[in-house]
Amino acid sequence: MRGRVLDLGCGQNGLIRHLGSGTGVDFEYTAKPDIRVKSLDKLPFDDSSFDTVTALAMLNYIPPGSAESILKEVYRVLAPYGRLVLTVVSKWGGKLNRIRKVWEPPGMMLKEVRTTVEPHQFRLTYSRPFMLGLNRLYVFGKE
């Protein structure tokens, strides 16, 4: 992570605590964010406020149709040449969770993540699987 970090859907805010600085936001009542928001598509920050925005294990939880407004907001708060860092459960991870009878939203494959994110002026710069291919890390640059 570089520069000023914003963690969307931060949950218990573990990433920001681990990094030692940054801002965690979430709307869930069970979360422990630095800032609680009503929606991730209306963030209380100025334009270009962050160098890195993370959304770890969150993209596949966003209801269809909501990703567009959230990604536009991420673009707004990211500084020029900023990075969007995502982790996403793969389709295989989603299938495994169903076998284990753990409810998770469906996973997403590389093509699906790219077609969701790239139309919002982000370019994929890095991607790799982890956890035996059940999850994937993506880094997008702001164009």
Side-chain angles (χ1 to χ4, degrees), residues 2-3 35 47-48 55 65 74 95 98 137 141:
R2 68 174 186 207
I35 299 174
D47 295 357
S48 302
V74 168
K95 288 179 181 182
R98 283 191 293 285
L137 168 69

Side-chain angles (χ1 to χ4, degrees), residues 81-134:
Y81 308 105
R83 289 192 239 172
L84 171 60
V85 178
L86 305 172
T87 62
V88 178
V89 175
S90 73
K91 292 276 188 198
W92 308 117
K95 288 179 181 182
L96 179 62
N97 284 329
R98 283 191 293 285
I99 291 168
R100 292 176 45 225
K101 300 192 186 305
V102 174
W103 185 88
E104 291 282 335
M108 299 172 77
M109 297 304 279
L110 173 64
K111 182 177 179 181
E112 190 176 359
V113 172
R114 289 186 79 169
T115 58
T116 300
V117 177
E118 287 182 334
H120 303 285
Q121 300 178 343
F122 292 102
R123 183 178 47 86
L124 182 65
T125 60
Y126 181 80
S127 172
R128 77 178 267 271
F130 65 99
M131 290 184 63
L132 302 174
L134 301 177

Side-chain angles (χ1 to χ4, degrees), residues 50-66:
F50 298 95
D51 301 298
T52 303
V53 173
T54 62
L56 307 181
M58 189 192 91
L59 185 62
N60 52 316
Y61 284 88
I62 297 173
S66 297

